[in-house]
Amino acid sequence: MCGIVGYAGTSSRSAEHGALDVLIEGLRRLEYRGYDSAGVAVVADGAIHSRKKAGKLVNLENQIAEAPLPDSLTGIGHTRWATHGGPSDQNAHPHLADGGKLAMIHNGIIENFAEIKATLVAEGVEFLSDTDTEVAAALLGKMYSSEAEGDLTRAMQLAVNKLEGAFTLLAVHQDHPGVVVAARRNSPLVLGLGEGENFLGSDVSGFIDFTRRAVELGQDQIVTITPESHSIIGFDGEPAEGREFSVDWDAASAEKGGFPSFMEKEIHDQPAAVADTLLGRSDAEGKLTLDELRIDPEKLAKITKIVVLACGTSAYAGSVAKYAIESWCRIPVEVELSHEFRYREPIVDKNTLIVSISQSGETMDTLMAVRYAKEQGAKTLSICNTNGSTIPRESDAVLYTHAGPEIAVASTKAFLAQITATYLLGLYLAQLRGNLFSGQIKDILADLGKIPSKIQDILDRDNEIKDLARSMADASSVLFLGRHVGYPVAMEGALKLKEIAYIHAEGFAAGELKHGPIALIDDGQPVFVVVPSPRGRDSLHSKVVSNIQEVRARGANTLVIAEEGDVDVREYAEFVFYVPETPTLLMPLLATVPLQIFACELATAKGYDVDQPRNLAKSVTVE
Ligand code: F6R
């Protein structure tokens, strides 16, 4: 996710550091968020001076070394994680508007940018990039020079009231040296208070080297900083207040949002990862508009088979997708590990849609499998978290997940975002092919929209599962059972535990128990069981309850993930963790979370580095 820094200082402080030093230092602290380009803009000598460059911060620093910026006390800085428009110099922030007098940086996604852009283009505005940010900058410029009559804060207020989506925006204008105006909706922004200088950051890491006094800004607020002051208003123009706090984390923990590890932070990022992946992909009537897909809808409507290609956790996201897409679209879906697909002469043709799923977009096995399928004439669609990476670049179409950079090696938030993206794809295909009525699609989207707050509910009760995990630190083997969509959840629960706690763990389809795995059950064997909703598909719930009884009768210690209100499971379980009610097909977005927390806490209790497990790499770029 993009990193944002803003600074307004006085000359008394500039003896110590000018705007550029503060911005570069802040961006360096925010590097952990992941980025593909970086840029700064400063106000000096009555003008805006900007430099921006694709690639790492050092590229920007080299550019500034070649073309130095004038000394300045006001500026904004940005590291970009591409969403609209690939990673390039042109798409990097800041974006200029109002004839170069104004500069803007942005984190988030502006959902209605296309219609605003169309209006501005009709009025003669020219755009240099593919970004939604440049549209917001042009809108701010227009407001500044028309209705706001040169008041930058008022212009920001007028502009944000025309924007939909999630955004943090920071702007400077050459007519206002010493002023940075910022606004936030559904996207992070923190204010840092200094002596004769004030700061803005995506999080406190952006200014932690300069001040420990911070103010958390509320939803839909605008803040204007000068070296000596800050003022906050709501989007309605009414005065507002933020919550002041003092930062007692060191710089390393600040990057992790105060969590002890990136993995734990990323588990807690999941409500936002799902919400951001849903953002801007359907209209108020529930019609899906997946503009990025770039495959002719008529051709998509004609596909006869989907093959999902992925590895590891991403393949489990594909297994969840199989249940949903087959149910909604009545198209057969095969899920294949990329490395197996490639070497078995698979049968694909022009009516096959290959859906590759990859967090990194660089997994060599998946890349090779996609290339092979393309050679056979199949259409290829990539579900990916990393804009501009190789797999989406080489695919016919892409649907980006917006989980933000995932730093911990073990995937968590990318998994939930991948599942969310496959649901969007399934609903889109159902819409194209007429398999579901628009009202049904709207209802499912409404259920999906409720998922982020339900995940938050689970996270708020994480102590229940953490206590269990700590009590099991000495376990040598844990089994995981599930049926239907609970089966890939069980597999993913087992994989997480293997990866970071180095404990033998296996996931099984609960129905497979009697065909072999039940022989593993011994006195005290811990078995997690993912129980489907009792309100769901006939007999699925009772079948799984029978499975719990079977393993319990053989001495298993049964640990159950069940839906709220499912009182029947209580008598068969040593431990129950309840997840909020949701339709069965969406259940993996909730049931996975306690299993992630369990693995993370158990590995932590064993003293392992959960972010960098042994023998594993974040991106597997060899076959
Ligand atoms: C598990 C994990 C791996 C990846 C797999 C594919 O926690 O992270 O199993 O899911 O290596 O990686 P991507 O999604 O980058 O293709």
Side-chain angles (χ1 to χ4, degrees):
M1 281 296 165
C2 306
I4 278 187
V5 193
Y7 179 69
T10 43
S11 49
S12 61
R13 299 294 298 177
S14 73
E16 291 172 38
H17 44 245
L20 187 60
D21 296 342
V22 176
L23 299 177
I24 296 287
E25 198 45 46
L27 293 181
R28 206 182 310 287
R29 288 279 180 213
L30 292 169
E31 276 191 300
Y32 76 92
R33 296 168 73 90
Y35 65 103
D36 48 56
S37 51
V40 291
V42 296
V43 189
D45 312 329
I48 296 285
H49 306 263
S50 174
R51 303 281 182 273
K52 54 186 194 172
K53 200 77 193 145
K56 290 294 160 197
L57 212 45
V58 65
N59 296 1
L60 174 68
E61 289 178 291
N62 289 341
Q63 192 192 37
I64 295 171
E66 279 168 29
L69 287 165
D71 288 344
S72 167
L73 298 168
T74 313
I76 53 180
H78 191 263
T79 45
R80 175 171 188 254
W81 173 260
T83 54
H84 288 96
S88 65
D89 290 356
Q90 203 70 279
N91 289 336
H93 301 203
H95 289 282
L96 304 185
D98 199 14
K101 295 183 207 151
L102 175 160
M104 177 180 272
I105 56 177
H106 164 221
N107 174 23
I109 297 165
I110 294 166
E111 289 183 55
N112 59 339
F113 86 100
E115 54 194 86
I116 299 174
K117 187 170 182 173
T119 313
L120 291 168
V121 167
E123 291 168 6
V125 179
E126 285 178 18
F127 290 93
L128 303 173
S129 76
D130 310 319
T131 63
D132 48 350
T133 310
E134 194 181 4
V135 176
L139 180 66
L140 180 68
K142 178 177 159 181
M143 293 299 136
Y144 178 81
S145 47
S146 57
E147 291 171 57
E149 295 171 345
D151 178 337
L152 193 57
T153 305
R154 171 83 182 128
M156 183 65 95
Q157 188 205 341
L158 291 166
V160 291
N161 276 295
K162 296 188 189 307
L163 300 179
E164 288 166 18
F167 47 81
T168 298
L169 299 169
L170 262 64
V172 286
H173 197 288
Q174 68 177 37
D175 298 345
H176 302 274
V179 178
V180 184
V181 179
R184 76 162 287 245
R185 165 178 286 168
N186 288 327
S187 186
L189 178 65
V190 193
L191 164 65
L193 303 176
E195 297 289 326
E197 56 184 354
N198 285 313
F199 306 82
L200 293 162
S202 312
D203 60 52
V204 295
S205 311
F207 48 74
I208 199 163
D209 293 317
F210 305 104
T211 183
R212 298 272 162 165
R213 280 179 68 206
V215 178
E216 188 184 291
L217 294 160
Q219 177 71 320
D220 287 2
Q221 289 189 344
I222 296 169
V223 57
T224 305
I225 62 165
T226 70
E228 306 290 350
S229 69
H230 69 273
S231 62
I232 305 174
I233 57 170
F235 282 10
D236 56 4
E238 292 301 313
E241 276 188 27
R243 185 188 68 85
E244 188 169 337
F245 63 102
S246 99
V247 182
D248 46 17
W249 307 325
D250 58 18
S253 0
E255 291 181 353
K256 296 172 191 150
F259 290 99
S261 63
F262 280 112
M263 183 173 178
E264 197 165 341
K265 174 186 177 287
E266 285 160 9
I267 290 172
H268 281 78
D269 283 345
Q270 293 185 115
V274 172
D276 290 351
T277 300
L278 291 172
L279 203 67
R281 274 151 170 178
S282 57
D283 63 18
E285 279 73 53
K287 186 164 184 288
L288 282 140
T289 43
L290 303 183
D291 297 334
E292 325 123 90
L293 275 191
R294 300 190 314 251
I295 297 183
D296 179 0
E298 270 185 34
K299 288 193 179 139
L300 266 185
K302 286 194 191 128
I303 57 165
T304 52
K305 178 170 84 167
I306 292 177
V307 179
V308 178
L309 297 177
C311 301
T313 290
S314 300
Y316 297 140
S319 300
V320 172
K322 175 181 169 70
Y323 290 89
I325 297 178
E326 288 189 342
S327 164
W328 293 334
C329 310
R330 309 308 301 149
I331 305 173
V333 180
E334 294 169 15
V335 184
E336 284 241 23
L337 293 169
S338 313
H339 35 90
E340 287 297 315
F341 173 84
R342 169 76 180 78
Y343 295 102
R344 69 162 178 83
E345 298 178 47
I347 301 160
V348 296
D349 61 22
K350 65 178 177 30
N351 292 323
T352 307
L353 177 66
I354 297 288
V355 177
S356 66
I357 306 181
S358 175
Q359 188 287 129
S360 61
E362 300 293 348
T363 299
M364 188 55 77
D365 290 317
T366 304
L367 176 62
M368 289 302 163
V370 169
R371 280 187 186 158
Y372 180 82
K374 243 184 138 172
E375 281 160 26
Q376 309 306 307
K379 293 175 192 60
T380 54
L381 186 155
S382 152
I383 291 181
C384 185
N385 197 41
T386 312
N387 204 308
S389 56
T390 312
I391 298 173
R393 268 207 327 266
E394 294 201 9
S395 299
D396 298 319
V398 58
L399 187 55
Y400 281 113
T401 49
H402 294 147
E406 197 176 57
I407 314 258
V409 166
S411 186
T412 53
K413 62 177 179 173
F415 179 62
L416 262 56
Q418 288 166 342
I419 295 175
T420 306
T422 64
Y423 289 155
L424 289 173
L425 175 64
L427 293 173
Y428 180 68
L429 292 174
Q431 176 181 290
L432 279 182
R433 298 159 63 92
N435 298 96
L436 293 177
F437 293 113
S438 56
Q440 291 173 296
I441 295 177
K442 191 174 173 187
D443 289 348
I444 299 169
L445 284 170
D447 286 324
L448 272 170
K450 292 178 197 151
I451 293 286
S453 64
K454 293 181 181 179
I455 299 174
Q456 192 55 53
D457 170 78
I458 294 170
L459 296 173
D460 291 344
R461 294 183 285 117
D462 66 355
N463 266 336
E464 296 172 38
I465 199 99
K466 282 181 166 180
D467 289 345
L468 172 76
R470 285 190 292 266
S471 74
M472 288 176 59
D474 294 331
S476 55
S477 160
V478 182
L479 304 182
F480 294 76
L481 302 180
R483 269 179 194 257
H484 192 256
V485 285
Y487 172 34
V489 171
M491 301 292 284
E492 172 61 4
L495 180 60
K496 286 288 91 82
L497 200 59
K498 282 182 233 193
E499 280 183 295
I500 58 169
Y502 319 140
I503 290 181
H504 169 254
E506 295 218 39
F508 299 108
E512 191 66 8
L513 257 188
K514 300 191 228 16
H515 302 282
I518 201 163
L520 288 170
I521 309 294
D522 204 353
D523 229 14
Q525 168 68 52
V527 182
F528 266 104
V529 188
V530 182
V531 179
S533 165
R535 303 167 300 110
R537 200 171 281 263
D538 288 349
S539 76
L540 203 59
H541 178 265
S542 55
K543 286 265 177 348
V544 175
V545 172
S546 302
N547 295 136
I548 303 176
Q549 290 169 274
E550 283 159 14
V551 292
R552 207 169 186 234
R554 288 159 179 84
N557 181 15
T558 50
L559 316 166
V560 164
I561 309 294
E563 187 179 271
E564 238 159 40
D566 184 354
V567 283
D568 292 353
V569 292
R570 271 218 168 276
E571 67 176 290
Y572 308 113
E574 266 69 45
F575 169 89
V576 185
F577 185 88
Y578 284 113
V579 297
E581 271 189 18
T582 202
T584 299
L585 286 170
L586 309 189
M587 178 272 264
L589 292 175
L590 303 182
T592 307
V593 180
L595 301 182
Q596 298 167 335
I597 298 168
F598 176 78
C600 185
E601 187 64 17
L602 197 149
T604 307
K606 290 178 81 114
Y608 297 144
D609 177 350
V610 296
D611 289 337
Q612 302 277 340
R614 69 188 182 200
N615 307 338
L616 294 177
K618 182 68 186 157
S619 176
V620 183
T621 52
V622 287
E623 264 194 283

